Amino acid sequence: MTFQKELRTTERISSIEFFRPQYENPWTVPNLLCMCRILLAPYLGYLITQQHFDLSLGLFTLAGATDLLDGFIARTWPTQKSALGSALDPLADKILISVLYVSLTYAELIPAPLTALVIFRDIGLIAAVFWVRYKTVPPPVTLSKFFNPCYTTAQLKPTLFSKVNTAIQLFLVAASLAAPVFHYTDSALLQCLWYVTAVTTAASGYSYWHYGRKTVKVLNTRSP
């Protein structure tokens, strides 16, 4: 029994030494901009359900500007780039897109099956992110360690399909918000955009499944 206990202790120590913790400052400008987009999402959804499309379109444009700005800052100033940001930026996009698609479906501007496809894909990706986090946090995994934004374990690398799909999904949101403002809700081009978005959403989900581990860079390495 003593030998087995020592063996388990040795295995536990070895598994812990497999990881080298990396810490970073989560309070960067890009990360704060991402948080602003997340906080803005429910308010935008409320405005859409109340059919304040003019204001919704203006705030959505502002949200899009913050998305471009946080990426520019992260690329220009290395100190502003973080592993947390690599996960927070797409998470903010997914939360914003999901809320807007549900709201636009409620307003009868986007079909329900397309919204269901978008949300189903995003739920799968978010679940995958949590699974990667769980597998890369050094044991023992605790809630404080799991949700500690300063404790970085992996960096996400979105696929090309995912980047294109996000752009198309956001373009559809902008077009749908502008439709009642500029009176083209029955446009055939808008309906064609629904099908294009559905195809790119499905292709993006498949690309993550196909490339798998290539979309994740584990930052923890074996200690020398």
Side-chain angles (χ1 to χ4, degrees), residues 68-96:
L68 295 175
L69 182 60
D70 68 45
F72 172 78
I73 293 173
R75 290 189 300 270
T76 305
W77 289 278
T79 57
Q80 294 295 305
K81 187 176 182 179
S82 64
L84 174 63
S86 72
L88 193 59
D89 182 51
L91 178 63
D93 289 339
K94 286 170 178 53
I95 291 175
L96 180 64

Side-chain angles (χ1 to χ4, degrees), residues 91-164:
L91 178 63
D93 289 339
K94 286 170 178 53
I95 291 175
L96 180 64
I97 288 172
S98 296
V99 170
L100 291 178
Y101 270 69
V102 170
S103 303
L104 287 167
T105 298
Y106 179 85
E108 299 183 347
L109 292 172
I110 287 181
L114 176 56
T115 296
L117 176 61
V118 169
I119 292 178
F120 178 77
R121 168 193 172 270
D122 287 349
I123 289 175
L125 292 180
I126 291 173
V129 168
F130 275 90
W131 174 251
V132 169
R133 177 66 170 175
Y134 174 77
K135 297 296 289 186
T136 56
V137 170
V141 180
T142 62
L143 288 176
S144 60
K145 188 186 296 183
F146 187 91
F147 290 104
N148 186 351
C150 300
Y151 194 91
T152 60
T153 59
Q155 187 171 6
L156 303 181
K157 298 178 290 183
T159 65
L160 177 61
F161 277 112
S162 178
K163 293 179 180 179
V164 172

Side-chain angles (χ1 to χ4, degrees), residues 3-20:
F3 173 76
Q4 291 179 345
K5 289 177 63 177
E6 290 178 353
L7 181 60
R8 286 195 296 268
T9 302
T10 302
E11 289 175 347
R12 183 181 177 189
I13 293 173
S14 298
S15 64
I16 293 173
E17 289 178 349
F18 178 85
F19 296 93
R20 179 185 300 153

